[in-house]
Amino acid sequence: MIDLIIDIFFVLLAALSVAWGAVVLKKLIALNRRYKRAIVLIPLYKRSKWPIFALCILALCLIGDIVYMALIPGDWLLTLSVLVIIGMLASILAMMIVTKCAVLDSGVVVPYRFIEWARLYDFRIEGTTILFFGNDKGFDTMGAATVKLDFDEANLEKLKFILDKYKNR
């Protein structure tokens, strides 16, 4: 009886992860389309390498799940559910890795979201690192702040000019 409850729980969890993953992947694909259709004024580079590390961990989990599936053939429902969950998380992380950031002609693509010029409140540049703030609360909220992004030092003046032009419109 407990095995049936666990199997049902993991099947529901797998279905939930597929639904959630589909929504997230749809948003990331839309963000990538926006990037490809716009004119890139200044490319920005993500500093974080955690998605690559997390993808490696998921690959190890996938291998472990396949080994478990081969050694204990009676738990097909459980192992297939875990396989679906790992596959969806890996798909999301892979899409996060290939998503690019840049200052575009229509706004700024930052990791996993787009800031239109009308919503760009403020930014801070420290050396070759930039941090954007996307609402009228500026430095007062963490939800509006992006992660730090790197840019080429040769683009510093151009970046300041473009962002000052659109800031607080």
Side-chain angles (χ1 to χ4, degrees), residues 131-160:
L131 181 67
F132 293 97
F133 299 94
N135 70 11
D136 61 348
K137 295 188 179 19
F139 292 101
D140 294 335
T141 72
M142 290 304 292
T146 66
V147 296
K148 291 182 178 180
L149 299 166
D150 290 332
F151 61 91
D152 187 14
E153 191 173 351
N155 292 328
L156 178 62
E157 293 304 318
K158 182 179 175 183
L159 182 64
K160 283 182 183 179

Side-chain angles (χ1 to χ4, degrees), residues 17-165:
S17 72
V18 167
W20 170 74
V23 170
V24 171
L25 286 173
K26 184 179 176 184
K27 288 182 180 184
L28 288 173
I29 289 169
L31 188 64
N32 282 334
R33 281 188 186 141
R34 184 180 289 252
Y35 177 86
K36 289 178 183 176
R37 290 181 182 160
I39 298 170
V40 176
L41 302 176
I42 300 171
L44 302 172
Y45 309 102
K46 295 178 265 187
R47 302 176 72 189
S48 176
K49 301 297 182 210
W50 75 264
I52 296 171
F53 176 72
L55 194 59
C56 292
I57 297 295
L58 282 177
L60 291 174
C61 292
L62 182 67
I63 291 169
D65 186 50
I66 292 171
V67 168
Y68 181 79
M69 191 183 308
L71 294 177
I72 303 174
D75 274 343
W76 290 105
L77 206 54
L78 175 69
T79 53
L80 286 176
S81 297
V82 171
L83 188 71
V84 167
I85 294 167
I86 292 170
M88 189 52 66
L89 289 173
S91 299
I92 291 170
L93 284 172
M95 193 61 146
M96 288 170 65
I97 290 169
V98 300
T99 300
K100 295 179 182 177
C101 302
V103 175
L104 306 176
D105 58 341
S106 58
V108 183
V109 175
V110 293
Y112 328 121
R113 72 177 182 196
F114 179 74
I115 301 173
E116 296 175 1
W117 290 127
R119 296 184 182 266
L120 179 66
Y121 178 75
D122 204 2
F123 63 93
R124 183 184 333 171
I125 297 177
E126 299 171 357
T128 60
T129 302
I130 188 163
L131 181 67
F132 293 97
F133 299 94
N135 70 11
D136 61 348
K137 295 188 179 19
F139 292 101
D140 294 335
T141 72
M142 290 304 292
T146 66
V147 296
K148 291 182 178 180
L149 299 166
D150 290 332
F151 61 91
D152 187 14
E153 191 173 351
N155 292 328
L156 178 62
E157 293 304 318
K158 182 179 175 183
L159 182 64
K160 283 182 183 179
F161 175 76
I162 292 169
L163 295 177
D164 281 334
K165 179 181 173 183

